[in-house]
Short mmCIF file of all heavy atoms in Angstrom, two decimals:
data_model
loop_
_atom_site.label_atom_id
_atom_site.label_comp_id
_atom_site.label_asym_id
_atom_site.label_seq_id
_atom_site.Cartn_x
_atom_site.Cartn_y
_atom_site.Cartn_z
N VAL A 6 0.86 -1.18 0.00
CA VAL A 6 0.01 0.00 0.00
C VAL A 6 0.90 1.23 0.00
O VAL A 6 1.80 1.35 0.82
CB VAL A 6 -0.92 0.01 1.24
CG1 VAL A 6 -1.75 1.26 1.27
CG2 VAL A 6 -1.79 -1.23 1.25
N GLU A 7 0.62 2.16 -0.93
CA GLU A 7 1.45 3.36 -1.03
C GLU A 7 1.06 4.34 0.06
O GLU A 7 -0.12 4.55 0.36
CB GLU A 7 1.25 4.00 -2.40
CG GLU A 7 1.82 3.19 -3.52
CD GLU A 7 1.75 3.93 -4.84
OE1 GLU A 7 1.76 5.17 -4.85
OE2 GLU A 7 1.67 3.26 -5.86
N PRO A 8 2.05 5.00 0.66
CA PRO A 8 1.72 6.01 1.67
C PRO A 8 1.05 7.21 1.03
O PRO A 8 1.20 7.47 -0.16
CB PRO A 8 3.10 6.39 2.25
CG PRO A 8 4.10 5.94 1.24
CD PRO A 8 3.46 4.80 0.49
N ALA A 9 0.31 7.97 1.84
CA ALA A 9 -0.45 9.11 1.32
C ALA A 9 0.45 10.17 0.72
O ALA A 9 0.04 10.90 -0.18
CB ALA A 9 -1.29 9.72 2.45
N ASN A 10 1.70 10.28 1.18
CA ASN A 10 2.59 11.32 0.66
C ASN A 10 3.49 10.80 -0.46
O ASN A 10 4.47 11.44 -0.81
CB ASN A 10 3.42 11.92 1.79
CG ASN A 10 4.31 10.86 2.45
OD1 ASN A 10 4.19 9.69 2.16
ND2 ASN A 10 5.15 11.30 3.36
N ALA A 11 3.17 9.65 -1.03
CA ALA A 11 3.98 9.10 -2.13
C ALA A 11 3.86 10.00 -3.36
O ALA A 11 2.81 10.59 -3.59
CB ALA A 11 3.50 7.70 -2.49
N PRO A 12 4.95 10.14 -4.13
CA PRO A 12 4.88 10.99 -5.31
C PRO A 12 3.92 10.41 -6.34
O PRO A 12 3.73 9.19 -6.43
CB PRO A 12 6.32 10.99 -5.85
CG PRO A 12 6.94 9.78 -5.26
CD PRO A 12 6.25 9.51 -3.96
N LEU A 13 3.30 11.27 -7.09
CA LEU A 13 2.37 10.83 -8.14
C LEU A 13 3.15 10.18 -9.27
O LEU A 13 4.27 10.60 -9.56
CB LEU A 13 1.58 12.02 -8.67
CG LEU A 13 0.63 12.68 -7.68
CD1 LEU A 13 0.03 13.93 -8.30
CD2 LEU A 13 -0.47 11.72 -7.28
N PRO A 14 2.57 9.17 -9.91
CA PRO A 14 3.27 8.55 -11.03
C PRO A 14 3.39 9.54 -12.18
O PRO A 14 2.59 10.47 -12.31
CB PRO A 14 2.37 7.36 -11.41
CG PRO A 14 1.04 7.68 -10.84
CD PRO A 14 1.28 8.55 -9.65
N ALA A 15 4.39 9.32 -13.03
CA ALA A 15 4.59 10.18 -14.19
C ALA A 15 3.40 10.07 -15.12
O ALA A 15 2.74 9.03 -15.20
CB ALA A 15 5.87 9.78 -14.91
N THR A 16 3.13 11.12 -15.85
CA THR A 16 2.05 11.12 -16.82
C THR A 16 2.40 10.12 -17.92
O THR A 16 3.51 10.15 -18.46
CB THR A 16 1.87 12.52 -17.43
OG1 THR A 16 1.68 13.43 -16.36
CG2 THR A 16 0.72 12.56 -18.40
N PRO A 17 1.48 9.22 -18.26
CA PRO A 17 1.80 8.24 -19.30
C PRO A 17 2.01 8.93 -20.65
O PRO A 17 1.38 9.95 -20.93
CB PRO A 17 0.57 7.33 -19.33
CG PRO A 17 -0.49 8.06 -18.61
CD PRO A 17 0.16 9.06 -17.71
N PRO A 18 2.94 8.39 -21.46
CA PRO A 18 3.19 9.01 -22.75
C PRO A 18 1.99 8.83 -23.68
O PRO A 18 1.25 7.85 -23.58
CB PRO A 18 4.40 8.23 -23.28
CG PRO A 18 4.39 6.94 -22.55
CD PRO A 18 3.75 7.21 -21.22
N THR A 19 1.81 9.77 -24.57
CA THR A 19 0.75 9.65 -25.55
C THR A 19 1.26 8.88 -26.75
O THR A 19 2.46 8.94 -27.06
CB THR A 19 0.26 11.04 -26.01
OG1 THR A 19 1.39 11.77 -26.49
CG2 THR A 19 -0.39 11.80 -24.88
N PRO A 20 0.40 8.12 -27.43
CA PRO A 20 0.85 7.37 -28.60
C PRO A 20 1.42 8.31 -29.65
O PRO A 20 0.97 9.44 -29.82
CB PRO A 20 -0.43 6.70 -29.10
CG PRO A 20 -1.35 6.68 -27.92
CD PRO A 20 -1.00 7.90 -27.11
N VAL A 21 2.44 7.83 -30.36
CA VAL A 21 3.11 8.63 -31.38
C VAL A 21 2.40 8.44 -32.71
O VAL A 21 2.26 7.32 -33.18
CB VAL A 21 4.59 8.18 -31.54
CG1 VAL A 21 5.28 8.99 -32.61
CG2 VAL A 21 5.31 8.29 -30.21
N PRO A 22 1.89 9.53 -33.34
CA PRO A 22 1.25 9.38 -34.63
C PRO A 22 2.25 8.90 -35.68
O PRO A 22 3.45 9.17 -35.57
CB PRO A 22 0.75 10.80 -34.97
CG PRO A 22 0.84 11.56 -33.69
CD PRO A 22 1.83 10.89 -32.83
N ALA A 23 1.77 8.20 -36.70
CA ALA A 23 2.63 7.63 -37.73
C ALA A 23 3.43 8.70 -38.46
O ALA A 23 4.54 8.46 -38.90
CB ALA A 23 1.80 6.82 -38.71
N HIS A 24 2.89 9.91 -38.58
CA HIS A 24 3.57 10.97 -39.34
C HIS A 24 4.62 11.72 -38.50
O HIS A 24 5.36 12.52 -39.03
CB HIS A 24 2.54 11.95 -39.90
CG HIS A 24 1.75 12.64 -38.83
ND1 HIS A 24 0.65 12.06 -38.25
CD2 HIS A 24 1.92 13.83 -38.22
CE1 HIS A 24 0.17 12.89 -37.33
NE2 HIS A 24 0.92 13.98 -37.30
N ALA A 25 4.68 11.45 -37.20
CA ALA A 25 5.63 12.15 -36.34
C ALA A 25 7.04 11.61 -36.56
O ALA A 25 7.22 10.42 -36.82
CB ALA A 25 5.23 11.97 -34.87
N PRO A 26 8.06 12.47 -36.45
CA PRO A 26 9.42 11.98 -36.61
C PRO A 26 9.76 11.02 -35.47
O PRO A 26 9.36 11.23 -34.33
CB PRO A 26 10.28 13.24 -36.55
CG PRO A 26 9.42 14.29 -35.92
CD PRO A 26 8.00 13.90 -36.19
N ALA A 27 10.51 9.97 -35.79
CA ALA A 27 10.86 8.96 -34.80
C ALA A 27 11.87 9.55 -33.81
O ALA A 27 12.79 10.25 -34.21
CB ALA A 27 11.44 7.74 -35.48
N LYS A 28 11.70 9.26 -32.52
CA LYS A 28 12.64 9.68 -31.50
C LYS A 28 13.38 8.47 -31.01
O LYS A 28 12.86 7.36 -30.99
CB LYS A 28 11.91 10.36 -30.35
CG LYS A 28 11.35 11.71 -30.71
CD LYS A 28 10.80 12.41 -29.49
CE LYS A 28 10.31 13.79 -29.86
NZ LYS A 28 9.81 14.49 -28.68
N GLN A 29 14.61 8.67 -30.59
CA GLN A 29 15.48 7.61 -30.10
C GLN A 29 15.40 7.53 -28.59
O GLN A 29 15.45 8.56 -27.92
CB GLN A 29 16.91 7.93 -30.56
CG GLN A 29 17.91 6.89 -30.16
CD GLN A 29 17.89 5.70 -31.06
OE1 GLN A 29 17.35 5.75 -32.15
NE2 GLN A 29 18.43 4.61 -30.61
N ALA A 30 15.26 6.32 -28.03
CA ALA A 30 15.31 6.14 -26.59
C ALA A 30 16.76 6.31 -26.14
O ALA A 30 17.67 5.81 -26.79
CB ALA A 30 14.80 4.77 -26.21
N VAL A 31 16.98 7.04 -25.05
CA VAL A 31 18.34 7.29 -24.57
C VAL A 31 18.39 7.04 -23.07
O VAL A 31 17.39 7.09 -22.39
CB VAL A 31 18.81 8.73 -24.87
CG1 VAL A 31 18.92 8.95 -26.36
CG2 VAL A 31 17.89 9.75 -24.25
N ALA A 32 19.60 6.75 -22.58
CA ALA A 32 19.79 6.53 -21.15
C ALA A 32 21.25 6.81 -20.80
O ALA A 32 22.13 6.62 -21.62
CB ALA A 32 19.44 5.10 -20.77
N ILE A 33 21.47 7.27 -19.58
CA ILE A 33 22.81 7.40 -19.05
C ILE A 33 23.00 6.19 -18.16
O ILE A 33 22.23 5.97 -17.22
CB ILE A 33 22.98 8.71 -18.27
CG1 ILE A 33 22.81 9.89 -19.21
CG2 ILE A 33 24.34 8.73 -17.58
CD1 ILE A 33 22.85 11.23 -18.53
N MET A 34 24.00 5.38 -18.45
CA MET A 34 24.16 4.11 -17.76
C MET A 34 25.33 4.13 -16.78
O MET A 34 26.36 4.72 -17.07
CB MET A 34 24.37 2.98 -18.77
CG MET A 34 23.18 2.74 -19.65
SD MET A 34 23.37 1.28 -20.68
CE MET A 34 24.61 1.84 -21.81
N SER A 35 25.15 3.40 -15.70
CA SER A 35 26.22 3.23 -14.72
C SER A 35 27.17 2.16 -15.26
O SER A 35 26.82 1.42 -16.18
CB SER A 35 25.62 2.77 -13.39
OG SER A 35 25.15 1.43 -13.50
N PRO A 36 28.36 2.04 -14.68
CA PRO A 36 29.29 0.96 -15.11
C PRO A 36 28.64 -0.42 -14.98
O PRO A 36 28.85 -1.28 -15.84
CB PRO A 36 30.47 1.13 -14.16
CG PRO A 36 30.45 2.59 -13.78
CD PRO A 36 28.99 2.95 -13.72
N HIS A 37 27.84 -0.62 -13.94
CA HIS A 37 27.17 -1.92 -13.75
C HIS A 37 26.19 -2.19 -14.91
O HIS A 37 26.14 -3.29 -15.44
CB HIS A 37 26.45 -1.94 -12.41
CG HIS A 37 25.65 -3.19 -12.16
ND1 HIS A 37 26.25 -4.40 -11.91
CD2 HIS A 37 24.32 -3.41 -12.14
CE1 HIS A 37 25.30 -5.32 -11.74
NE2 HIS A 37 24.11 -4.74 -11.87
N GLU A 38 25.41 -1.17 -15.27
CA GLU A 38 24.47 -1.33 -16.37
C GLU A 38 25.19 -1.55 -17.69
O GLU A 38 24.74 -2.33 -18.53
CB GLU A 38 23.57 -0.08 -16.47
CG GLU A 38 22.59 0.02 -15.31
CD GLU A 38 21.97 1.39 -15.20
OE1 GLU A 38 22.62 2.39 -15.57
OE2 GLU A 38 20.84 1.46 -14.71
N ARG A 39 26.32 -0.88 -17.90
CA ARG A 39 27.12 -1.10 -19.12
C ARG A 39 27.60 -2.55 -19.19
O ARG A 39 27.59 -3.15 -20.26
CB ARG A 39 28.32 -0.14 -19.15
CG ARG A 39 28.16 0.94 -20.19
CD ARG A 39 29.45 1.70 -20.35
NE ARG A 39 29.34 3.06 -20.06
CZ ARG A 39 29.32 3.74 -18.89
NH1 ARG A 39 29.47 3.28 -17.92
NH2 ARG A 39 29.19 4.94 -18.71
N GLU A 40 28.02 -3.09 -18.05
CA GLU A 40 28.48 -4.48 -18.00
C GLU A 40 27.33 -5.45 -18.32
O GLU A 40 27.51 -6.40 -19.08
CB GLU A 40 29.07 -4.79 -16.63
CG GLU A 40 29.62 -6.20 -16.49
CD GLU A 40 30.80 -6.51 -17.39
OE1 GLU A 40 31.53 -5.57 -17.79
OE2 GLU A 40 30.99 -7.69 -17.71
N LEU A 41 26.15 -5.18 -17.77
CA LEU A 41 24.98 -6.02 -18.08
C LEU A 41 24.64 -5.95 -19.56
O LEU A 41 24.35 -6.97 -20.19
CB LEU A 41 23.77 -5.59 -17.24
CG LEU A 41 23.83 -5.91 -15.76
CD1 LEU A 41 22.64 -5.28 -15.04
CD2 LEU A 41 23.87 -7.40 -15.54
N ARG A 42 24.69 -4.76 -20.13
CA ARG A 42 24.41 -4.58 -21.55
C ARG A 42 25.42 -5.35 -22.40
O ARG A 42 25.07 -5.99 -23.39
CB ARG A 42 24.45 -3.09 -21.89
CG ARG A 42 24.05 -2.77 -23.28
CD ARG A 42 24.18 -1.24 -23.49
NE ARG A 42 23.63 -0.85 -24.72
CZ ARG A 42 22.38 -0.46 -24.91
NH1 ARG A 42 21.55 -0.40 -23.90
NH2 ARG A 42 21.97 -0.12 -26.09
N LYS A 43 26.69 -5.31 -21.98
CA LYS A 43 27.75 -6.04 -22.69
C LYS A 43 27.45 -7.55 -22.65
O LYS A 43 27.59 -8.24 -23.67
CB LYS A 43 29.10 -5.73 -22.05
CG LYS A 43 30.26 -6.45 -22.68
CD LYS A 43 31.56 -6.12 -21.94
CE LYS A 43 32.67 -7.01 -22.43
NZ LYS A 43 33.83 -6.96 -21.54
N LYS A 44 27.03 -8.04 -21.49
CA LYS A 44 26.73 -9.47 -21.36
C LYS A 44 25.51 -9.86 -22.19
O LYS A 44 25.48 -10.94 -22.79
CB LYS A 44 26.52 -9.84 -19.89
CG LYS A 44 27.83 -9.83 -19.12
CD LYS A 44 27.63 -10.17 -17.66
CE LYS A 44 28.98 -10.12 -16.96
NZ LYS A 44 28.90 -10.46 -15.57
N LEU A 45 24.49 -8.99 -22.25
CA LEU A 45 23.34 -9.28 -23.10
C LEU A 45 23.74 -9.35 -24.57
O LEU A 45 23.29 -10.22 -25.32
CB LEU A 45 22.25 -8.21 -22.91
CG LEU A 45 21.44 -8.32 -21.63
CD1 LEU A 45 20.54 -7.10 -21.48
CD2 LEU A 45 20.62 -9.59 -21.61
N LYS A 46 24.63 -8.44 -24.97
CA LYS A 46 25.11 -8.45 -26.34
C LYS A 46 25.89 -9.73 -26.63
O LYS A 46 25.72 -10.35 -27.68
CB LYS A 46 25.98 -7.22 -26.59
CG LYS A 46 26.39 -7.05 -28.03
CD LYS A 46 27.13 -5.75 -28.23
CE LYS A 46 27.52 -5.62 -29.70
NZ LYS A 46 28.24 -4.39 -29.96
N GLU A 47 26.73 -10.14 -25.68
CA GLU A 47 27.49 -11.39 -25.83
C GLU A 47 26.55 -12.59 -25.94
O GLU A 47 26.77 -13.50 -26.72
CB GLU A 47 28.47 -11.56 -24.67
CG GLU A 47 29.64 -10.61 -24.71
CD GLU A 47 30.48 -10.65 -23.44
OE1 GLU A 47 30.17 -11.43 -22.50
OE2 GLU A 47 31.46 -9.87 -23.37
N LEU A 48 25.50 -12.60 -25.12
CA LEU A 48 24.51 -13.68 -25.15
C LEU A 48 23.87 -13.77 -26.52
O LEU A 48 23.77 -14.83 -27.12
CB LEU A 48 23.45 -13.50 -24.07
CG LEU A 48 22.27 -14.46 -24.13
CD1 LEU A 48 22.72 -15.88 -23.83
CD2 LEU A 48 21.18 -14.02 -23.16
N ARG A 49 23.41 -12.61 -27.03
CA ARG A 49 22.77 -12.59 -28.35
C ARG A 49 23.75 -13.08 -29.43
O ARG A 49 23.38 -13.88 -30.28
CB ARG A 49 22.28 -11.18 -28.67
CG ARG A 49 21.56 -11.12 -30.01
CD ARG A 49 21.06 -9.71 -30.30
NE ARG A 49 20.39 -9.67 -31.55
CZ ARG A 49 19.10 -9.93 -31.76
NH1 ARG A 49 18.34 -10.22 -30.74
NH2 ARG A 49 18.57 -9.89 -32.95
N GLU A 50 25.00 -12.60 -29.39
CA GLU A 50 25.99 -13.03 -30.37
C GLU A 50 26.26 -14.53 -30.27
O GLU A 50 26.40 -15.21 -31.29
CB GLU A 50 27.28 -12.23 -30.20
CG GLU A 50 27.16 -10.79 -30.66
CD GLU A 50 28.37 -9.94 -30.30
OE1 GLU A 50 29.32 -10.44 -29.67
OE2 GLU A 50 28.34 -8.74 -30.66
N HIS A 51 26.33 -15.05 -29.05
CA HIS A 51 26.57 -16.49 -28.87
C HIS A 51 25.44 -17.31 -29.47
O HIS A 51 25.68 -18.29 -30.18
CB HIS A 51 26.72 -16.81 -27.37
CG HIS A 51 26.84 -18.28 -27.10
ND1 HIS A 51 28.02 -18.95 -27.25
CD2 HIS A 51 25.91 -19.20 -26.72
CE1 HIS A 51 27.82 -20.23 -26.97
NE2 HIS A 51 26.55 -20.41 -26.64
N ILE A 52 24.21 -16.90 -29.20
CA ILE A 52 23.05 -17.63 -29.73
C ILE A 52 23.01 -17.58 -31.25
O ILE A 52 22.85 -18.60 -31.92
CB ILE A 52 21.74 -17.11 -29.12
CG1 ILE A 52 21.69 -17.49 -27.63
CG2 ILE A 52 20.53 -17.67 -29.85
CD1 ILE A 52 20.57 -16.84 -26.85
#
């Protein structure tokens, strides 16, 4: 159960119309996340 003073969830994104320019998802990753990403890439390449 969330406490009464919990922050409100972010506003959900609106669907992107087909004519809108495509946007790229971006993230700033920690060294740990970079290592996980590297391992996922290695897994995909191995398979």
Side-chain angles (χ1 to χ4, degrees):
V6 177
E7 291 186 28
N10 61 353
L13 294 174
T16 305
T19 55
V21 179
H24 62 277
K28 290 188 177 181
Q29 182 79 18
V31 295
I33 296 176
M34 295 188 289
S35 70
H37 176 70
E38 290 165 331
R39 251 190 241 80
E40 182 64 25
L41 289 173
R42 186 182 189 92
K43 179 182 170 194
K44 288 179 181 181
L45 284 172
K46 187 175 181 180
E47 289 171 1
L48 172 66
R49 183 179 180 87
E50 288 172 359
H51 175 81
I52 291 170

